[in-house]
């Protein structure tokens, strides 16, 4: 791998993730650089830290310790690599040295990430889960990152095994992670740490979906993360954590819905309905509010509502979609755009163009009327027209039919005479 490509790898994501995913690949990249040609000590120091983390991940703590010591010695007084050095000292059972280094960091760099890491590793070694949780929360007051939130979620889960942590706390930590600019990174960290399968096994199951030999389907976990980041970046999802959560769980029905036909083609029929049922149970487990639970389930159930849109859709079909999507119309348009992921660029462009056409057709509609259609005649008059003395199922059917006619554009909400004719002829019986 070239030096430029390796620098790009570091920019794209967490080095810790890269190490855990492919130690050998990254090791070769680091070893392939000529340290002597580096321009400054800071760059050299980073190289030693990178390689030390690789050795640490492989269990070679003695070599890792030597590399971290070399990194720290290159720039006396700096803190880069010091947190990892403390961790290596702990692994080598040199606790006094680890404590002494941590105390120096606390004096010289009280708010740095390296100092936090050093304190964290020492408390982790002591096995004090509550102290670890307090430390993470304290550092989160200074700065917020997906790594910190993942650490806290993991600690809460450790307590949950002892029946000490409330599901609400887990949910709130998930929400904090979802509110990050790139929430996919937090989900990847959760998965690498083994936390995702405990918190959201339904999402973890997407990563375990492997096609049969000779068959193919997209990587549904990668697709989910792409949709999540796309939602986080768009206007609709910028301040809408429920929409982001729905994006995270929108395809959790696929493992149960997956079917392979005789031609080695996969289908996921009704995965939206199955996913909505799973999302409902998940929301109950995490103790969502009733409003957040209902909206999450609805978003998952309807996330494919606009997928079949095309030129053949009549005006009535467009109006019915607007009515069904309700207040979440704009959110679902953004969701539908984000859900378009494919290696076929022409296919992606065609689907996005179709959604643009749908949005244009919606512009001229009176959303208020479609979201809450009000018939021009009311219950008492409908009862009289039907010859009824009191209300009942027939009145309900009449009102429902009149509302649907308004949504379809077949009845003007101000045309009382047309509404009366519909009721008098019981038009719904012939529909």
């Amino acid at each position: 791998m070239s030096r430029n490509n390796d620098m790009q790898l570091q920019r794209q994501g967490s080095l810790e993730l890269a190490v855990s995913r492919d130690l050998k690949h990254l090791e070769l990249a680091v070893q392939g650089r000529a340290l002597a040609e580096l321009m400054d000590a800071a760059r050299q120091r980073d190289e030693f830290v990178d390689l030390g983390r690789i050795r640490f991940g492989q269990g070679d703590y003695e070599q890792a310790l030597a590399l971290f010591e070399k990194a720290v010695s290159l720039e006396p007084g700096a803190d880069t690599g010091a947190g990892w050095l403390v961790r290596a000292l702990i692994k080598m059972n040199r606790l006094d040295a680890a404590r002494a280094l941590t105390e120096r960091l606390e004096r010289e760099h009280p708010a740095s990430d390296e100092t936090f890491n050093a304190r964290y590793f020492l408390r982790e070694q002591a096995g004090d889960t509550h102290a670890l949780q307090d430390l993470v929360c304290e550092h989160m007051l200074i700065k917020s990152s997906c790594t910190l939130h993942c650490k806290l979620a993991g600690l809460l889960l450790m307590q949950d095994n002892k029946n000490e942590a409330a599901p609400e706390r887990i949910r709130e930590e998930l929400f904090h992670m979802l509110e990050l600019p790139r929430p996919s990174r937090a989900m990847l960290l959760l998965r690498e740490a083994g936390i995702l399968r405990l918190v959201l096994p339904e999402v973890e199951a997407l990563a375990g979906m492997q096609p049969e030999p000779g068959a193919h389907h997209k990587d549904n976990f990668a697709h989910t993360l792409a949709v999540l980041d796309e939602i986080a970046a768009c206007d609709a999802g910028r301040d809408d954590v429920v929409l982001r959560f729905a994006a995270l769980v929108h395809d959790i029905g696929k493992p149960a819905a997956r079917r392979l036909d005789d031609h080695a083609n996969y289908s996921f029929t009704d995965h939206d309905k199955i996913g909505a049922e799973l999302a409902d149970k998940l929301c109950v487990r995490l103790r969502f509010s009733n409003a957040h639970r209902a909206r999450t389930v609805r978003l998952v159930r309807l996330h494919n509502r606009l997928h079949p849109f095309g030129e053949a859709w009549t005006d009535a079909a467009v109006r019915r979609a607007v009515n069904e999507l309700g207040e979440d119309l704009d959110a679902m348009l953004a969701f539908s755009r984000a859900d378009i992921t494919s290696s076929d660029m022409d296919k992606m462009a065609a689907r996005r163009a179709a959604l643009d056409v749908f949005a244009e057709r919606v512009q001229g509609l009176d959303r208020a009327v479609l979201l809450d259609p009000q018939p021009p005649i009311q219950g008492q008059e409908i009862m009289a027209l039907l010859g009824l003395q009191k209300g009942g199922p027939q009145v309900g059917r009449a009102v429902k039919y009149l509302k649907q006619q308004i949504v379809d554009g077949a009845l003007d909400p101000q045309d009382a005479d047309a509404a009366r004719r519909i009721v008098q002829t019981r038009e719904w019986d012939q529909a």
Side-chain angles (χ1 to χ4, degrees):
M1 179 185 290
S2 70
R3 180 175 169 183
N4 288 338
N5 287 341
D6 185 70
M7 292 174 65
Q8 183 179 12
L9 171 63
Q10 292 186 41
R11 286 197 300 270
Q12 287 176 341
S14 160
L15 176 64
E16 190 167 357
L17 269 178
V19 170
S20 62
R21 283 179 171 180
D22 196 347
L23 287 171
K24 189 63 178 177
H25 183 68
L26 188 60
E27 180 182 0
L28 291 173
V30 174
Q31 290 176 338
R33 305 181 195 128
L35 295 180
E37 296 177 359
L38 295 173
M39 299 300 294
D40 53 58
R43 180 63 179 164
Q44 250 189 78
R45 180 193 61 212
D46 291 342
E47 298 289 345
F48 282 118
V49 172
D50 288 356
L51 192 53
R53 293 175 72 170
I54 292 170
R55 294 303 185 204
F56 191 95
Q58 294 172 328
D60 188 350
Y61 304 125
E62 185 173 357
Q63 181 66 22
L65 178 63
L67 288 163
F68 293 139
E69 286 178 332
K70 180 65 175 177
V72 172
S73 70
L74 287 173
E75 194 173 354
D79 67 339
T80 301
W84 278 95
L85 177 54
V86 168
R87 192 175 192 184
L89 288 168
I90 292 171
K91 282 292 186 181
M92 297 298 292
N93 204 30
R94 294 171 56 183
L95 297 182
D96 289 341
R99 293 189 187 99
L101 177 54
T102 301
E103 290 172 2
R104 179 178 73 78
L105 289 170
E106 289 175 331
R107 289 193 306 271
E108 299 176 4
H109 308 279
S112 77
D113 287 338
E114 294 290 348
T115 302
F116 163 77
N117 286 335
R119 296 171 67 194
Y120 184 93
F121 295 142
L122 275 176
R123 296 191 187 188
E124 182 181 47
Q125 186 272 336
D128 189 342
T129 303
H130 288 288
L132 282 171
Q133 180 179 325
D134 291 342
L135 175 63
V136 175
C137 290
E138 173 189 330
H139 200 61
M140 286 171 67
L141 295 176
I142 302 172
K143 58 179 67 178
S144 180
S145 72
C146 61
T147 304
L148 286 174
H149 286 297
C150 288
K151 285 184 182 295
L152 182 54
L155 294 171
L156 291 170
L157 278 170
M158 289 166 62
Q159 292 186 24
D160 194 37
N161 291 334
K162 304 173 185 177
N163 298 316
E164 296 179 15
E168 294 89 342
R169 287 296 310 277
I170 305 296
R171 181 196 67 225
E172 290 309 307
E173 285 308 311
L174 280 173
F175 276 16
H176 284 312
M177 286 182 265
L178 290 172
E179 288 169 343
L180 294 167
R182 284 184 58 198
S184 66
R185 293 188 64 235
M187 297 304 111
L188 284 169
L189 283 168
L190 284 181
R191 182 161 186 257
E192 293 293 335
I195 297 173
L196 187 65
R197 62 182 174 82
L198 300 175
V199 182
L200 298 171
E202 299 89 346
V203 177
E204 174 77 21
L206 293 172
M209 294 177 65
Q210 298 298 324
E212 296 290 334
H216 172 75
H217 61 64
K218 69 173 65 177
D219 182 333
N220 286 287
F221 184 66
H223 164 77
T224 291
L225 297 186
V227 173
L228 176 59
D229 279 349
E230 187 74 18
I231 286 292
C234 74
D235 290 339
R238 188 159 291 125
D239 300 310
D240 191 343
V241 71
V242 175
L243 181 60
R244 294 187 184 204
F245 183 80
L248 178 63
V249 302
H250 77 282
D251 271 347
I252 59 175
K254 281 191 171 180
R258 184 173 65 165
R259 297 290 183 272
L260 182 64
D261 65 21
D262 294 336
H263 303 288
N265 296 316
Y266 280 103
S267 64
F268 300 92
T269 305
D270 290 335
H271 79 272
D272 45 359
K273 297 175 183 175
I274 297 171
E277 294 175 1
L278 292 173
D280 189 45
K281 295 176 181 177
L282 192 162
C283 290
V284 171
R285 188 172 76 236
L286 294 179
R287 298 183 185 173
F288 276 41
S289 68
N290 288 337
H292 283 178
R293 172 187 170 189
R295 184 165 181 247
T296 299
V297 172
R298 189 165 175 273
L299 289 169
V300 173
R301 178 172 57 83
L302 294 175
H303 79 267
N304 269 346
R305 181 65 176 83
L306 299 180
H307 181 76
F309 173 77
E311 294 180 357
W313 273 33
T314 63
D315 288 343
V318 171
R319 294 166 68 95
R320 282 194 293 271
V322 173
N323 172 260
E324 190 173 355
L325 295 174
E327 298 291 345
D328 277 317
L329 173 62
D330 292 330
M332 289 309 301
L333 268 169
F335 205 143
S336 297
R337 288 191 177 99
D339 201 22
I340 302 172
T341 62
S342 173
S343 58
D344 187 333
M345 301 305 294
D346 291 337
K347 180 179 178 181
M348 287 182 62
R351 287 188 61 191
R352 286 177 176 162
L355 288 174
D356 290 340
V357 171
F358 178 87
E360 291 173 4
R361 291 179 66 175
V362 167
Q363 288 300 317
L365 301 177
D366 188 336
R367 289 199 193 184
V369 170
L370 294 177
L371 297 182
D372 186 23
Q374 295 296 320
I377 57 176
Q378 303 304 311
Q380 291 293 330
E381 186 173 0
I382 292 173
M383 286 168 54
L385 291 169
L386 292 175
L388 301 174
Q389 298 299 316
K390 59 180 181 179
Q394 293 186 63
V395 176
R397 289 183 64 191
V399 171
K400 181 179 180 181
Y401 186 78
L402 291 173
K403 288 185 175 183
Q404 189 60 59
Q405 291 298 100
I406 293 172
V407 170
D408 289 351
L411 174 63
D412 187 318
Q414 306 300 321
D415 193 343
D417 289 339
R420 293 186 185 101
R421 287 194 296 272
I422 289 172
V423 173
Q424 287 172 329
T425 60
R426 298 175 183 263
E427 190 174 298
W428 55 87
D429 284 337
Q430 289 81 44

